[in-house]
């Protein structure tokens, strides 16, 4: 194989594609949409960021402004947690629009994350999300197919393939040259997208998570480049294998439909069919059931909590809970919280595991479908994937638990055993304790862990790259010249 | 002429491929709809059982204190999904179709989402509406893009002109065969859907069918318009595919993006914070003040006097009520934003058939955002009725077992459709007529 020939063929393909005015129009449209998308996503991100921060502050302010009161009242006052978005969500919004954005956290009750963007949107949201990745993952591959479907067939149809062959160009060189040319043309489309990606890194410097954003971007860039190389190879191979341009175009279109639209949807439908999850009402009933089995701290005659009472009375050498050095109902509450949180976590983990099983069909198909691979990689590195969401939920639950127990501790320490009610200005704890409760601070999954989670997708891209390269190299002799 | 043309048509591999793709995907999409309906119906059946169990358990636990019992007791309000939702799932998989509420502060309970895998939501559904809006046009393009150019490229067009018959009629015949073929497949899918999804043959179903056929016609007229420019097959393919890409993929997404950014619903957050604050503040403020507000809302309860010392359920439920009452402004603001989103999407969609078809189908199947909002409003009414039933009983300190709990079965919501077929197909029909008219007028001179 001679490099010079490959490069010459690539150059020729590049020039020829550019002699077509259609391409310039296409490029212009693509770049205009890209610019619009980048600007609008950025503005929307900044705005959402402000809204979230504003409401987070407001909710904290109203928490801090509570007067002296009974700690259990504060436990139910609870707090709101709003999802702040990763700056890279400007690039890839992943499942962000479909996950709830606000959770209310209070004692012994677990709420769902509500108010997802999609749930407040009109039916048009089902056509998909507009972001840079939509252009990169769905539209650009289609453009690559459009640009490259005739790369070999047109040479065949014009009879120029024969001439090239007679002049000494090997089929391998022709195929590689065309692929390279196609890749270079597609670079005109994706490089501007990467510029907008990288500008996020440099302009969103103020965030603390930023040190890792650059590495994330680097990984995203590499994966996409690999993805487009694979696509260029596939386009040229299909074009080479087809009898005429029409057939090549139809085959590539079918590939696009099958790989990019139908399998991803079907995989989720099948996953959902095979592993159905509980509905909310069943989920809550299951928890209620288990709690009443384990013991209900709100039930005065509950055997579990009666045993607990007897043991603590014995340990403190008293006969009545009123003589205990700690507030007894605070103690019961804290034990109850421990129990119910365990049960909730168990059920919640079960639910998440069912979701994971549903997703496992898609995960399994990653190996067969490089589109799924790039989709998962892009989402994960942008901090907008399923793992990030689950991680967020578990951090909020952790925070909720600690907050409730903090209030129970305060009650045990400061509330008298003779207190009968939690209302008004008696039996209260000083308001300074509210201020000293920690704030919620979400931590993103580390890159290291993300890479580990997405190992299969990374391998897929590499394997596909090697296979398609090998295919062009090894089997090019079987290509029919005439 | 027709038998020969039909023979020729079916000899092409593209046709068989198209037929295969449409039938396979048709089955899959009906299956998706069936699965969706089944899941929803199963949950409804379970809800009825669970409610009975729940009431029995709670009434046993809190026999003597009705106020406390009502703190725990949940009542289900169900939005039974229409069988047409199996055709157009729309927004109904995003939003909860069962509300399970206590008589406490409602705003904190109403928006709880159902448990659905967000990954599933993000890839969207492959229901029949998707098949019709997204894939049928592609098949139509694949069948039509070279109807005329192929004849010219193969040199057969000259033969046809020589034969002396109207070439224009010949072209129309060729397209008509394709139109009939696609129409039959669509009809077949609707027939299968009707049987498998158990859809009654009524006006809404007919409306969906009419809109779908009109949409198919729209794509045929675009193809007709483009092929009459007599460009090469390749050019036709590229132009038609680009049209498809813009109309079906890019434009809807752009419009949706524009609308969500134009009307961000941040009031949702403000409202939830407000309703919590307004309720909780009342624990520390003057009881009389809370009660006065409660009496102002419900004058009929003003004879229940406030007990100044100690805890009373009257005061407790009045506090809860204030969470709802005093966050009303924010709630209204949120709903008016949602309304604006809906009306703007409808306005824009009129001119773009793919958007129009999606929104219309959702509206007919009661799976649109408007329907969800209507359900939420009905939930508020349901909740209010519960409150009015139980408030006096609680305040009178009635025993919990004095109430006949058996009658508290889940309540079903009845949805109303305000869909107007004429308004929704007016522009689409005009576009179709314009495309065909222009195509014919501009090119008539080239044909004999």
């Amino acid at each position: 194989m001679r490099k010079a020939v490959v490069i010459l063929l690539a150059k020729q393909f590049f020039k020829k594609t550019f002699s077509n005015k259609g391409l310039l129009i296409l490029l212009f449209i693509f770049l205009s949409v890209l610019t619009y998308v980048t600007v609008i996503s950025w503005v929307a991100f900044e705005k959402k960021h402000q809204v979230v921060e504003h409401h987070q502050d407001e909710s904290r302010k109203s928490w801090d402004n509570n007067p002296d009161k009974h700690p259990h009242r504060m436990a139910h006052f609870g707090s709101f947690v709003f999802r702040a978005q990763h700056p890279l969500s400007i690039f890839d919004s992943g499942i962000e629009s479909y996950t709830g954005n606000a959770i209310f956290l209070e004692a012994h009750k677990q709420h769902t994350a509500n108010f997802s963007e999609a749930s407040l949107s009109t039916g048009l949201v089902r056509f998909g999300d507009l972001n840079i990745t939509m252009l990169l993952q769905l539209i650009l591959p289609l453009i690559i197919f459009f640009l490259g479907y005739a790369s070999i067939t047109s040479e065949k149809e014009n009879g120029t393939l024969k001439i090239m062959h007679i002049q000494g160009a090997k089929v391998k060189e022709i195929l590689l040259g065309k692929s390279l040319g196609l890749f270079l043309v597609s670079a005109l489309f994706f490089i501007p997208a990467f510029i907008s990606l990288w500008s996020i890194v440099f302009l969103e410097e103020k965030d603390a998570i930023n040190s890792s954003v650059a590495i994330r971007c680097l990984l995203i860039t590499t994966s996409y480049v690999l993805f487009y190389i694979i696509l260029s190879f596939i386009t040229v191979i299909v074009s080479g294998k087809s009898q005429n341009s029409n057939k090549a175009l139809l085959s590539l279109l079918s590939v696009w439909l099958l790989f990019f639209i139908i399998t991803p949807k079907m995989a989720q439908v099948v996953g959902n069919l095979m592993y159905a999850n509980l509905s909310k009402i069943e989920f809550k009933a299951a928890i209620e059931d288990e709690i009443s089995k384990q013991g209900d701290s709100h039930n005065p005659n509950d055997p579990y909590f009666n045993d607990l009472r007897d043991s603590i009375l014995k340990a403190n050498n008293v006969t009545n809970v009123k003589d205990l050095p700690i507030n007894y109902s605070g103690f019961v509450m804290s034990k109850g919280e421990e129990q119910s949180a365990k049960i909730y976590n168990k059920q919640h983990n079960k639910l998440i595991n069912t979701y994971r099983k549903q997703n496992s069909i898609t995960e399994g198909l990653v190996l067969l479908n490089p589109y799924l691979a790039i989709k998962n990689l892009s989402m994960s590195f942008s901090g907008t994937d399923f793992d990030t969401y689950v991680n967020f939920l578990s951090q909020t639950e952790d925070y909720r638990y600690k907050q409730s127990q903090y209030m129970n501790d305060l009650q045990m320490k400061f509330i008298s055993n003779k207190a009968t009610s939690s209302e008004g200005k008696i039996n209260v704890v000083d308001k300074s304790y509210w201020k000293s409760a920690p704030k919620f601070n979400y931590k993103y999954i580390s890159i290291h862990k993300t890479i580990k989670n997405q190992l299969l997708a990374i391998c897929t891209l590499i394997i596909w790259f090697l296979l398609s390269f090998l295919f062009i190299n090894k089997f090019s002799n079987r290509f029919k010249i005439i | 002429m027709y038998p020969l043309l039909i023979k020729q048509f079916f000899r092409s591999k593209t046709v068989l491929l198209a037929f295969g793709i449409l039938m396979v995907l048709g089955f899959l999409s009906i299956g998706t709809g069936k699965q969706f309906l089944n899941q929803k119906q199963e949950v409804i059946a379970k809800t009825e059982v669970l409610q009975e169990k729940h009431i029995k358990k709670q009434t046993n636990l809190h026999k003597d204190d009705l106020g406390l019992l009502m703190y725990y007791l949940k009542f289900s309000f169900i939005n039974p999904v229409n069988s047409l939702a199996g055709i157009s799932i729309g927004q109904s998989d995003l939003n909860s179709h069962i509300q399970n509420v206590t008589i406490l502060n409602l705003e904190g309970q109403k928006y709880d989402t159902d448990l659905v895998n967000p990954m599933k939501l993000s890839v969207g559904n492959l229901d029949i509406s998707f098949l019709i809006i997204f894939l049928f046009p592609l098949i139509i393009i694949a069948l039509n893009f070279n109807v005329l150019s192929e004849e010219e490229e193969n040199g057969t067009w000259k033969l046809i002109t020589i034969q002396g018959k109207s070439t224009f009629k010949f072209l129309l015949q060729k397209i008509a065969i394709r139109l009939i073929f696609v129409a039959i497949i669509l009809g077949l899918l609707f027939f299968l859907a009707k049987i498998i999804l158990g859809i009654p043959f009524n006006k809404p179903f007919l409306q969906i069918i009419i809109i779908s056929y009109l949409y198919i016609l729209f794509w045929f007229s675009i193809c007709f318009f483009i092929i009459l420019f007599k460009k090469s097959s390749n050019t036709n393919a590229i132009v038609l595919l680009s049209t498809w890409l813009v109309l079906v993929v890019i434009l809807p997404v752009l419009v949706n993006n524009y609308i969500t950014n134009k009307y961000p619903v941040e009031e949702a957050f403000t409202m939830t914070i407000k309703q919590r604050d307004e309720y909780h503040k009342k624990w520390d403020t003057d009881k009389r003040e809370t009660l006065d507000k409660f009496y102002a809302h419900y004058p009929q309860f003003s004879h229940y006097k406030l007990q100044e010392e100690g805890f009373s359920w009257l005061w407790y439920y009045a506090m809860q009520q204030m969470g709802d009452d005093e966050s009303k402004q924010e709630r209204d603001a949120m709903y008016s934003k949602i309304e604006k989103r809906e009306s703007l999407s409808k306005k824009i969609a009129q001119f773009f058939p793919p958007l129009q078809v999606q929104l219309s189908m959702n509206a007919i199947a009661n799976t649109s955002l408007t329907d969800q909002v209507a359900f939420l409003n009905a939930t508020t009414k349901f909740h209010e009725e519960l409150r009015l039933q139980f408030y006096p009983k609680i305040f009178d300190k009635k025993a919990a077992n004095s109430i006949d709990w058996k009658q508290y079965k889940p309540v079903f919501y009845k949805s109303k459709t305000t869909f107007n077929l004429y308004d929704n197909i007016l522009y689409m029909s005009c576009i179709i007529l314009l495309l065909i008219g222009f195509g014919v007028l501009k090119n008539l001179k080239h044909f004999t």
Side-chain angles (χ1 to χ4, degrees):
Chain A
M1 190 181 74
R2 291 153 301 173
K3 257 190 204 159
V5 179
V6 173
I7 291 170
L8 184 74
L9 282 162
K11 261 190 197 163
Q12 183 250 353
F13 180 86
F14 192 84
K15 267 190 198 156
K16 208 181 132 195
T17 317
F18 251 87
S19 64
N20 185 348
K21 265 188 228 146
L23 177 72
L24 284 176
I25 297 170
L26 199 61
L27 187 61
F28 175 75
I29 295 174
F30 188 87
L31 294 185
S32 330
V33 176
L34 179 70
T35 316
Y36 170 79
V37 171
T38 310
V39 172
I40 200 105
S41 314
W42 208 313
V43 173
F45 170 80
E46 293 287 346
K47 178 120 202 255
K48 256 179 224 157
H49 201 75
Q50 264 175 24
V51 167
V52 163
E53 236 155 50
H54 167 77
H55 285 93
Q56 196 73 74
D57 286 352
E58 282 293 300
S59 115
R60 182 66 194 197
K61 230 185 265 160
S62 79
W63 165 278
D64 285 345
N65 286 339
N66 270 292
D68 299 352
K69 60 162 85 179
H70 191 285
H72 193 61
R73 294 270 60 83
M74 275 312 269
H76 276 293
F77 184 79
S79 50
F80 282 101
V81 175
F82 301 94
R83 269 158 64 76
Q85 282 152 327
H86 196 283
L88 285 179
S89 68
I90 300 170
F91 174 73
D92 188 344
S93 60
I95 59 170
E96 206 90 314
S97 332
Y98 297 89
T99 54
N101 293 318
I103 310 190
F104 179 50
L105 308 173
E106 64 174 315
H108 46 248
K109 275 181 192 165
Q110 281 89 348
H111 300 278
T112 50
N114 296 335
F115 299 117
S116 69
E117 186 52 63
S119 70
L120 299 170
S121 294
T122 67
L124 300 182
V125 75
R126 300 332 287 270
F127 284 98
D129 248 343
L130 180 68
N131 51 49
I132 304 171
T133 39
M134 187 213 168
L135 293 173
L136 287 182
Q137 289 176 2
L138 279 181
I139 310 294
L140 187 50
L142 204 60
I143 292 177
I144 292 179
F145 289 167
F146 277 11
L147 295 176
Y149 76 97
S151 56
I152 305 290
T153 49
S154 70
E155 305 272 8
K156 263 192 212 171
E157 284 160 359
N158 301 337
T160 39
L161 195 60
K162 273 184 259 176
I163 298 170
M164 281 158 86
H165 192 60
I166 289 165
Q167 285 179 340
K170 291 189 189 118
V171 177
K172 194 202 297 179
E173 288 161 355
I174 297 174
L175 294 179
L176 274 176
K178 296 279 184 188
S179 312
L180 184 64
L182 184 56
F183 176 72
L184 290 179
V185 179
S186 65
L188 292 175
F189 291 82
F190 68 69
I191 286 175
F194 289 144
I195 295 175
S196 56
L197 168 66
W198 282 92
S199 56
I200 299 168
V201 186
F202 296 118
L203 293 174
E204 288 288 316
E205 205 82 58
K206 48 192 183 281
D207 286 291
I209 23 169
N210 240 295
S211 53
S212 69
V213 172
I215 305 172
R216 283 168 188 271
C217 281
L218 195 66
L219 287 165
I220 290 173
T221 314
T222 324
S223 321
Y224 274 99
V225 168
L226 214 54
F227 178 61
Y228 293 128
I229 296 177
I230 295 170
L231 285 179
S232 307
F233 278 149
I234 290 176
T235 315
V236 172
I237 290 171
V238 170
S239 180
K241 287 236 155 201
S242 304
Q243 285 164 345
N244 57 42
S245 303
N246 278 348
K247 284 208 175 121
L249 183 59
L250 277 177
S251 317
L252 284 169
L253 264 181
S254 320
V255 166
W256 185 77
L257 266 183
L258 186 71
F259 279 68
F260 290 74
I261 307 287
I262 294 167
T263 25
K265 279 182 192 271
M266 281 325 294
Q268 283 297 338
V269 169
V270 171
N272 208 48
L273 191 67
M274 284 171 66
Y275 311 99
N277 60 272
L278 292 183
S279 67
K280 189 180 67 197
I281 194 163
E282 293 169 289
F283 180 78
K284 286 203 168 153
I287 291 173
E288 199 184 281
D289 257 12
E290 247 190 284
I291 286 180
S292 67
K293 258 185 241 155
Q294 285 267 0
D296 183 350
S297 61
H298 283 76
N299 178 4
N301 299 318
D302 188 88
Y304 173 84
F305 284 95
N306 281 348
D307 285 354
L308 196 71
R309 183 188 60 203
D310 294 343
S311 67
I312 189 174
L313 288 178
K314 217 171 169 190
N316 284 284
N317 240 342
V318 286
T319 48
N320 192 317
V321 286
K322 289 201 170 141
D323 303 325
L324 285 172
I326 54 162
N327 176 284
Y328 178 66
S329 53
F331 172 74
V332 169
M333 215 84 80
S334 115
K335 286 292 160 194
E337 188 70 63
E338 213 178 297
Q339 289 292 337
S340 66
K342 254 189 217 151
I343 292 167
Y344 174 81
N345 283 335
K346 196 178 120 196
Q347 290 292 339
H348 181 73
N349 288 339
K350 238 183 173 170
L351 178 75
I352 296 298
N353 276 334
T354 315
Y355 285 168
R356 283 196 198 285
K357 276 187 201 155
Q358 291 174 357
N359 298 341
S360 69
I361 308 286
T362 311
E363 302 293 327
L365 286 175
V366 159
L367 262 174
L368 297 176
N369 187 345
Y371 161 68
L372 290 176
I374 192 73
K375 196 174 160 221
N376 284 352
L377 279 178
S378 174
M379 269 198 293
S380 303
F381 291 138
S382 303
T384 54
D385 63 333
F386 184 72
D387 286 319
T388 309
Y389 173 63
V390 170
N391 186 261
F392 170 77
L393 288 184
S394 70
Q395 284 185 34
T396 55
E397 169 55 21
D398 191 50
Y399 178 75
R400 186 200 70 80
Y401 181 71
K402 283 190 183 134
Q403 189 178 60
S404 311
Q405 293 301 38
Y406 175 70
M407 292 304 154
N408 289 332
D409 283 345
L410 288 178
Q411 184 173 350
M412 277 193 266
K413 249 195 244 162
F414 297 112
I415 302 298
S416 144
N417 261 317
K418 288 169 192 87
T420 49
S421 91
S422 57
E423 76 211 52
K425 293 190 172 54
I426 43 161
N427 307 319
V428 291
V429 169
D430 190 81
K431 61 188 174 208
S432 64
Y433 284 102
W434 317 149
K435 281 207 169 84
S436 58
K439 284 181 184 168
F440 178 75
N441 201 351
Y442 177 64
K443 281 191 188 64
Y444 280 92
I445 303 180
S446 68
I447 303 181
H448 178 71
K449 207 160 169 247
T450 310
I451 294 177
K452 233 167 109 189
N453 286 341
Q454 293 300 335
L455 213 56
L456 186 68
I458 296 171
C459 291
T460 304
L461 283 185
I462 296 171
I463 291 171
W464 270 78
F465 169 71
L466 293 175
L467 278 182
S468 51
F469 188 71
L470 222 81
F471 189 86
I472 284 200
N473 260 312
K474 279 233 159 184
F475 300 98
S476 52
N477 13 0
R478 275 193 225 158
F479 271 87
K480 282 183 203 150
I481 298 288
I482 303 155
Chain B
M1 204 62 201
Y2 269 110
L4 278 177
L5 279 174
I6 292 171
K7 230 183 219 171
Q8 185 208 18
F9 174 63
F10 278 103
R11 209 184 284 152
S12 123
K13 266 191 194 146
T14 320
V15 174
L16 293 178
L17 193 72
F19 183 76
I21 291 178
L22 284 182
M23 283 326 279
V24 170
L25 291 178
F27 273 117
L28 289 176
S29 62
I30 293 171
T32 306
K34 184 75 187 163
Q35 184 205 1
F36 174 77
L37 290 180
N38 278 352
Q39 273 178 357
K40 294 270 166 181
Q41 268 142 16
E42 265 169 42
V43 174
I44 290 174
K46 274 181 195 151
T47 304
E48 290 175 314
V49 179
L50 285 174
Q51 167 141 343
E52 203 189 317
K53 212 173 122 194
H54 171 78
I55 290 182
K56 205 178 261 172
K57 196 164 116 198
Q58 294 297 337
T59 44
N60 265 332
L61 264 172
H62 312 285
K63 273 182 217 113
D64 18 63
D65 193 344
L66 183 63
L68 186 62
L69 172 64
M70 293 315 292
Y71 173 85
Y72 289 106
L73 216 49
K74 288 191 177 105
F75 300 90
S76 301
F77 186 55
I78 300 172
N79 183 5
V81 277
N82 193 327
S83 55
L84 282 174
I87 285 187
S88 181
I89 294 173
Q91 294 294 83
S92 58
D93 61 339
L94 280 165
N95 294 311
S96 191
H97 71 130
I98 295 178
Q99 294 283 7
N100 213 15
V101 293
T102 64
I103 68 164
L104 303 177
N105 187 337
L106 175 68
E107 294 305 316
Q109 314 176 52
K110 207 158 71 170
Y111 309 98
D112 274 8
T113 44
D114 209 344
L115 303 177
V116 203
N117 185 351
M119 286 292 276
K120 178 175 185 283
L121 294 177
S122 74
V123 295
N125 291 302
L126 198 142
D127 53 6
I128 304 179
S129 72
F130 174 81
L131 188 69
I132 291 172
I133 295 167
F134 209 85
L135 297 176
F136 263 78
L138 271 185
I139 299 291
I140 293 170
I141 291 171
L143 292 177
N144 284 305
F145 78 102
N146 59 359
V147 165
L148 186 59
S149 51
E150 186 189 45
E151 305 267 4
E152 287 193 338
E153 279 153 23
N154 294 342
T156 43
W157 190 246
K158 287 210 176 85
L159 289 176
I160 294 160
T161 27
I162 290 165
Q163 282 174 351
K165 282 179 192 156
S166 165
T167 48
F168 192 63
K169 209 175 135 197
F170 175 76
L171 183 71
L172 284 183
Q173 278 175 334
K174 274 188 91 173
I175 293 177
I177 290 171
R178 284 155 175 80
L179 181 61
I180 291 166
F181 167 74
V182 173
I184 289 174
I185 289 190
L186 184 62
L188 212 62
L189 286 180
F190 274 128
F191 181 70
L192 279 175
K194 185 202 149 33
I195 292 173
I196 296 174
L197 304 178
I199 302 167
F201 196 82
N202 52 13
K203 196 172 132 199
F205 187 42
L206 198 67
Q207 286 173 335
I208 285 194
I209 294 177
I210 292 174
I211 288 182
S212 306
Y213 273 106
L214 211 59
Y215 181 67
I216 300 290
L217 205 61
F218 164 73
W219 278 100
F220 266 96
S221 63
I222 287 186
C223 291
F224 179 70
F225 183 77
I226 299 290
I227 57 173
L228 282 180
F229 282 102
K230 292 190 155 181
K231 298 277 189 241
S232 70
S233 299
N234 279 340
T235 313
N236 285 348
I238 299 279
V239 171
L240 285 170
L241 286 172
S242 308
T243 314
W244 175 81
L245 201 60
V246 170
L247 280 181
V248 180
V249 181
I250 296 180
L251 205 78
V253 188
L254 274 175
V255 172
N256 180 52
N257 186 274
Y258 170 73
I259 290 169
T260 40
N261 286 322
K262 188 171 159 96
Y263 299 116
V265 192
E266 56 200 61
E267 286 83 355
F269 294 165
T270 321
M271 179 202 67
T272 41
I273 296 178
K274 186 92 185 271
Q275 63 84 12
R276 171 199 65 177
D277 285 2
E278 290 308 324
Y279 156 58
H280 277 276
K281 260 188 217 157
K282 306 292 183 287
W283 283 96
D284 311 303
T285 45
D286 184 33
K287 288 182 178 181
R288 162 93 17 226
E289 207 179 298
T290 310
L291 257 298
D292 283 343
K293 281 180 184 163
F294 184 69
Y295 294 145
H297 187 144
Y298 296 114
Q300 69 265 44
F301 297 138
S302 51
H303 64 277
Y304 294 106
K305 290 293 164 243
L306 169 72
Q307 160 202 341
E308 295 280 355
E309 281 305 301
F311 179 84
S312 78
W313 286 116
L314 172 65
W315 170 59
Y316 180 80
Y317 283 103
M319 286 198 290
Q320 288 281 350
Q321 177 86 44
M322 289 312 117
D324 284 349
D325 284 9
E326 290 175 19
S327 62
K328 190 172 179 304
Q329 204 183 343
E330 285 73 12
R331 190 184 343 145
D332 291 344
M334 177 176 91
Y335 283 127
S336 91
K337 276 273 180 73
I338 291 178
E339 220 170 84
K340 276 181 189 154
R341 280 185 170 189
E342 277 276 297
S343 75
L344 185 61
S345 355
K346 272 185 201 149
K347 243 183 227 157
I348 299 177
Q350 283 180 335
F351 306 104
F352 303 105
L355 309 184
Q356 171 73 20
V357 172
Q358 178 72 73
L359 293 185
S360 302
M361 284 197 179
N362 289 352
I364 298 169
N366 293 324
T367 55
S368 70
L369 182 63
T370 315
D371 291 301
Q372 182 61 24
V373 171
F375 177 54
L376 288 181
N377 289 333
T379 308
T380 308
K381 224 177 126 214
F382 168 75
H383 185 258
E384 181 72 5
E385 277 161 15
L386 282 176
R387 268 180 173 162
L388 289 178
Q389 273 175 46
F390 286 106
Y391 274 171
K393 289 179 179 137
I394 297 169
F395 304 155
D396 280 333
K397 301 196 175 67
K398 285 226 166 108
N401 53 16
S402 70
I403 295 166
D404 176 22
W405 293 108
K406 282 208 178 69
Q407 60 164 319
Y408 288 98
K409 297 221 157 56
V411 174
F412 284 85
Y413 163 70
K414 277 192 198 75
S415 55
K416 275 190 215 103
T417 319
T418 49
F419 182 77
N420 184 325
L421 184 69
Y422 174 75
D423 284 349
N424 282 283
I425 59 173
L426 180 68
Y427 285 97
M428 202 177 5
S429 315
C430 291
I431 297 170
I432 294 171
L433 287 176
L434 276 178
L435 282 172
I436 297 178
F438 267 113
V440 172
L441 282 179
K442 205 167 165 264
N443 293 282
L444 209 52
K445 54 181 187 277
H446 300 301
F447 293 91
T448 45

